Amino acid sequence: MTLFAALASIVFGAMAKDTAQERMLYGLKAFAQFMVIGLVLAWILYFIP
Amino acid sequence: MAKTERAQAEEVEQTPAYAWLIGAAAWFFPGLGHALLKKFGRSVLMGGAILGCFIIGLAMGGHMFDLSTGQGSSQLLQVPPMIANIGTGAPYIMCWLAGYGFADDPTQAARATYEYGNTFLLIGGLLNYLAMLDAFDIAAGRKP
């Protein structure tokens, strides 16, 4: 999941926004969102039989 | 009214022909479109990430889709993932010509990483479609 989040975030970050700093921030934000949402969903599904 | 609409339509900028070529190149090999536009940083990042998805997907035992499996309506179910896989461009075509990465036998499907591999291969293709559209927009002057 971490690998997937990193690779997808790199592409999203490289495409978005105008300046290099904005792109890096967007990539990091996308990575954090992938990880947090992935972990939250995993814990929700863990309790569903 | 009709004249105004026609005038507005004529004002719309035509897409330059090379933008289509850049788009085709970006699809054909991940990162090539941005490299031709001299955006080498983006080219390396995008191309590396997309090829990384592809290689990791194959290494995990994932398989790509084509129309050789399934019969009748079940063959239609192969079309959406096949479109996603085709997004990778040349790597997909090379594997298809070599007959590598399309096997869907039970031994391979039993691997714990089989579905992860499939997902990486699908996402690699879809990300390359995004990269292709980005390169096209840059070449057409719609994006810096």
Side-chain angles (χ1 to χ4, degrees):
Chain A
M1 187 181 79
T2 309
L3 196 57
F4 171 83
L7 292 171
S9 303
I10 286 170
V11 177
F12 288 164
M15 271 190 300
K17 312 289 180 182
D18 294 327
T19 65
Q21 195 185 2
E22 281 176 333
R23 284 193 195 114
M24 204 169 79
L25 280 174
Y26 183 79
L28 288 172
K29 206 168 117 183
F31 178 74
Q33 285 171 341
F34 268 124
M35 293 301 290
V36 170
I37 293 169
L39 288 171
V40 168
L41 279 176
W43 274 107
I44 290 169
L45 292 171
Y46 177 74
F47 291 109
I48 297 173
Chain B
M1 185 67 183
K3 274 187 181 176
T4 315
E5 284 174 3
R6 189 183 298 165
Q8 281 177 346
E10 284 170 0
E11 279 175 18
V12 175
E13 279 184 36
Q14 293 293 313
T15 306
Y18 76 87
W20 296 99
L21 283 173
I22 293 288
W27 165 77
F28 187 70
F29 196 82
L32 182 60
H34 287 87
L36 291 173
L37 292 166
K38 295 184 172 49
K39 306 244 177 218
F40 296 111
R42 284 193 217 183
S43 168
V44 170
L45 279 175
M46 286 184 179
I50 292 162
L51 288 173
C53 274
F54 185 79
I55 292 163
I56 290 164
L58 282 179
M60 284 182 164
H63 85 287
M64 287 174 283
F65 293 82
D66 62 3
L67 294 177
S68 64
T69 54
Q71 289 178 336
S73 60
S74 71
Q75 202 173 25
L76 286 176
L77 294 173
Q78 308 290 315
V79 174
M82 189 188 78
I83 291 170
N85 281 153
I86 286 175
T88 323
Y92 175 89
I93 296 168
M94 280 163 60
C95 285
W96 184 65
L97 291 173
Y100 180 76
F102 286 86
D104 193 16
D105 54 77
T107 318
Q108 191 176 349
R111 285 180 67 172
T113 55
Y114 172 73
E115 289 294 344
Y116 293 105
N118 284 345
T119 306
F120 269 96
L121 288 169
L122 294 170
I123 296 300
L126 294 174
L127 287 174
N128 197 38
Y129 282 130
L130 282 178
M132 177 186 81
L133 292 172
D134 188 62
F136 177 84
D137 278 347
I138 294 168
R142 295 172 191 163
K143 202 179 167 188

